[in-house]
């Protein structure tokens, strides 16, 4: 098919891709932009899918980042519902699933990732919801009405948030996850167990320390069989066990990949005219001195914009420190840096396991900070990490 060319081509219709449009236009007000996304919706915010949409704090039409007129005004051509299958860095063109080719001068890969799937019998059963997209929300909203029952697989970010949202929506929820407490990758055990108790007090049935062995259907209901032999019937099954970064197209094109698409400090891949940003980018985290991949809203927002500016000629190092956040019933937090439950932690509580600051330390140096039910302190936390502050007796006075 005929090749269509643009100065800037963005593959990925999520937050990182839409933010890249803004970044490009800050530097280059005229260069042609093509934004290609696999979903049929305009770019939208994902956090409301497990938060504000369920609580009635937002309507679906309010989660879209921009309306169509925004893209028209900024001379952005949209291609929703299109999946890119290959990249040819030498010819500087990409090809979609229908064989159409698109030429580019600068290319951004902001394709995020796809939900991890359960490799068990029945794991691909029709109707099991691997929760990720607006389509998933719309479908689940219909199927998980008040009085219905749901099994939620996963005790991390997505599992814990969607379980809370369903419970507030008066759905009977059973959670299943292999760890002994919630969010075990980021919460220290004392906090994870305290938050888990809140879930139980809310009426959520928690089956920790186990995992699904199989899924089947019994009439119009699902049967989840666990490794410990238990069986649970439910109206819906939702799986939220993380994502796999989309790297295969980049790898096939000869770009360097690791746990993501490897980029340098300017967000360029191993080919200087191809960039990556968002959930699929493995980038040098300057303040921590190591490569990381971050699957959170703030990173996609800022990294996408940064990549767009650099595609248009800015050549600025990405030295931003993204933060992340979550709301689990009345317990909310913001965190930044290396927030890893494997590190030593020092909690400074105003109210135990509810309100306060947790410092994450490596060799007595502050590497990460979590603010629990405390807000507007991210910049102070960033400064402690950048300055490599050593934890001393006064640590609990660092962030008031």
């Amino acid at each position: 098919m005929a090749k269509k060319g643009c100065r800037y081509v963005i593959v990925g219709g999520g937050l990182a891709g839409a933010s890249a449009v803004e970044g490009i236009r800050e530097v280059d007000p005229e260069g042609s932009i093509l934004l290609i996304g696999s979903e049929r919706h305009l770019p939208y915010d994902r956090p409301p899918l497990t938060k504000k949409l369920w609580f009635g704090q937002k309507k679906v039409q309010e989660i879209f980042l921009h309306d169509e007129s925004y893209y028209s005004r900024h001379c952005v051509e949209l291609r929703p519902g299109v999946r890119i299958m290959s990249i040819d860095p030498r010819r500087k063109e990409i090809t979609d699933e229908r064989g159409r080719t698109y030429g580019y001068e600068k290319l951004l890969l902001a394709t995020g990732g796809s939900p991890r799937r359960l490799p068990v019998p029945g794991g691909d059963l029709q109707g099991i919801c691997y929760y990720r997209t607006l389509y998933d929300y719309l479908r689940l909203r219909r199927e998980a009405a008040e009085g219905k029952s749901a099994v939620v697989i996963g005790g991390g970010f997505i599992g814990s948030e969607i379980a809370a949202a369903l419970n507030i929506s008066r759905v009977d929820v059973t959670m299943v996850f292999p760890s002994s407490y919630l969010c075990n990758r980021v919460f220290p055990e004392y906090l994870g167990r305290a938050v888990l108790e809140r879930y139980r007090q809310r009426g959520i049935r928690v089956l920790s320390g186990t995992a699904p062995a199989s899924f089947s259907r019994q009439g119009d209901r699902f049967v989840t069989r666990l490794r410990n032999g238990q069986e649970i019937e439910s109206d819906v099954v939702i799986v939220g066990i993380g994502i796999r970064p989309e790297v295969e197209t980049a790898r096939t094109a000869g770009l360097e990949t690791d746990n993501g698409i490897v980029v340098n400090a300017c967000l360029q891949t191993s080919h200087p005219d191809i960039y990556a940003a968002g959930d699929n980018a493995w980038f040098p985290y300057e303040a921590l001195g190591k490569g990381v991949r971050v699957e959170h809203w703030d990173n996609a927002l800022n990294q996408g914009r940064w990549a767009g500016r650099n595609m248009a000629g800015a050549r600025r190092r990405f030295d931003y420190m993204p933060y992340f956040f979550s709301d689990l019933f009345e317990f909310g937090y913001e965190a930044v840096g290396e927030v890893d439950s494997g590190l030593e932690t020092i909690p400074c509580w105003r109210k135990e396991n509810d309100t306060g600051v947790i410092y994450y330390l490596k060799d007595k140096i502050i590497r990460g900070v979590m603010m629990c039910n405390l807000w507007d302190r991210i910049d102070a936390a960033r400064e402690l990490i950048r300055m490599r502050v050593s934890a001393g007796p006064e640590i609990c006075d660092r962030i008031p």
Side-chain angles (χ1 to χ4, degrees):
M1 292 188 180
K3 173 177 171 181
K4 178 178 179 59
C6 282
R7 181 176 295 178
Y8 309 104
V9 173
I10 299 167
V11 181
L15 178 59
S19 297
V21 170
E22 298 174 18
I24 290 169
R25 283 293 176 250
E26 288 173 12
V27 179
D28 180 353
E30 296 180 351
S32 56
I33 301 175
L34 174 63
L35 177 60
I36 299 173
S38 59
E39 292 188 57
R40 296 190 177 277
H41 301 286
L42 292 172
Y44 59 86
D45 260 337
R46 290 192 193 277
L49 300 183
T50 55
K51 299 181 182 72
K52 292 185 177 181
L53 284 175
W54 290 93
F55 309 148
Q57 296 170 340
K58 276 199 172 183
K59 298 179 180 178
V60 168
Q61 58 267 33
E62 295 174 329
I63 74 169
F64 294 102
L65 301 169
H66 304 290
D67 60 21
E68 286 195 38
S69 66
Y70 167 87
Y71 298 101
S72 297
R73 291 196 310 274
H74 289 86
C75 299
V76 178
E77 182 180 349
L78 297 173
R79 287 292 179 94
V82 173
R83 187 172 297 277
I84 296 302
M85 304 304 291
S86 66
I87 305 167
D88 186 335
R90 184 182 62 83
R91 296 170 64 91
K92 300 185 78 168
E93 64 182 31
I94 57 177
T95 303
D96 70 16
E97 58 197 339
R98 294 178 60 184
R100 294 172 297 197
T101 59
Y102 310 84
Y104 63 84
E105 293 181 25
K106 303 290 182 182
L107 174 67
L108 174 64
L109 301 177
T111 46
S114 57
R116 293 181 181 274
R117 304 183 78 83
L118 289 165
V120 300
D124 58 354
L125 203 61
Q126 185 175 2
I128 291 180
C129 181
Y130 286 87
Y131 200 78
R132 174 72 174 165
T133 67
L134 176 56
Y135 171 80
D136 295 329
Y137 164 77
L138 294 171
R139 176 185 142 205
L140 191 58
R141 193 77 188 199
R142 293 193 304 270
E143 296 177 356
E146 181 176 346
K148 296 287 188 177
S149 59
V151 169
V152 176
I153 310 297
F157 288 104
I158 298 300
S160 58
E161 289 182 355
I162 197 63
L166 290 169
N167 175 264
I168 290 172
S169 300
R170 301 182 186 277
V171 174
D172 180 23
V173 179
T174 299
M175 292 188 75
V176 177
F177 50 88
S179 59
S180 58
Y181 59 91
L182 285 178
C183 300
N184 70 311
R185 292 186 179 180
V186 295
F187 286 172
E189 185 171 355
Y190 51 84
L191 178 59
R193 291 191 180 280
V195 175
L196 180 58
E197 185 57 31
R198 291 172 182 243
Y199 275 60
R200 290 193 169 111
Q201 290 173 359
R202 285 279 188 159
I204 293 176
R205 182 187 184 196
V206 178
L207 302 177
S208 58
T210 188
S214 67
F215 299 98
S216 59
R217 295 296 292 261
Q218 194 170 82
D220 59 354
R221 289 169 67 79
F222 290 93
V223 178
T224 302
R225 187 173 187 275
L226 305 182
R227 290 177 184 172
N228 62 12
Q230 285 182 273
E231 290 189 353
I232 315 158
E233 287 191 25
S234 64
D235 295 302
V236 295
V237 172
I238 305 103
V239 182
I241 54 173
I243 67 168
R244 296 186 184 277
E246 170 50 57
V247 300
E248 192 56 38
T249 306
R251 182 186 294 122
T252 302
L255 302 180
E256 184 182 357
T257 61
D258 194 321
N259 179 24
I261 302 172
V262 177
V263 296
N264 63 17
C266 291
L267 305 177
Q268 292 169 296
T269 68
S270 52
H271 190 289
D273 293 324
I274 304 177
Y275 296 70
D279 291 356
N280 62 341
W282 179 266
F283 67 97
Y285 197 130
E286 190 171 289
L288 297 179
K290 67 176 189 175
V292 300
R293 187 171 60 81
V294 177
E295 298 175 6
H296 294 291
W297 175 88
D298 188 50
N299 183 65
L301 174 71
N302 286 281
Q303 202 169 71
R305 183 176 289 136
W306 221 288
R309 293 182 189 128
N310 285 346
M311 290 168 72
R315 297 292 302 171
R316 184 181 169 192
R317 295 171 62 87
F318 183 71
D319 58 1
Y320 182 77
M321 296 178 65
Y323 79 100
F324 63 96
F325 60 92
S326 187
D327 296 293
L328 309 174
F329 295 116
E330 291 84 13
F331 179 79
Y333 67 87
E334 295 179 338
V336 65
E338 191 172 0
V339 180
D340 184 332
S341 60
L343 298 177
E344 177 190 357
T345 61
I346 296 179
C348 300
W349 296 118
R350 298 183 185 181
K351 180 180 179 183
E352 188 172 6
N353 292 321
D354 181 275
T355 307
V357 179
I358 301 174
Y359 296 94
Y360 292 72
L361 313 175
K362 186 175 183 179
D363 299 326
K364 305 301 180 183
I365 301 297
I366 297 174
R367 299 281 288 179
V369 186
M370 177 181 288
M371 281 73 61
C372 304
N373 284 331
L374 294 174
W375 315 107
D376 302 320
R377 291 163 172 82
I378 286 292
D379 286 341
R382 286 180 173 129
E383 187 65 17
L384 293 177
I385 298 166
R386 284 196 182 99
M387 298 298 292
R388 298 182 58 80
V389 170
S390 178
E394 75 293 346
I395 190 171
C396 288
D397 298 324
R398 290 289 188 175
I399 297 179

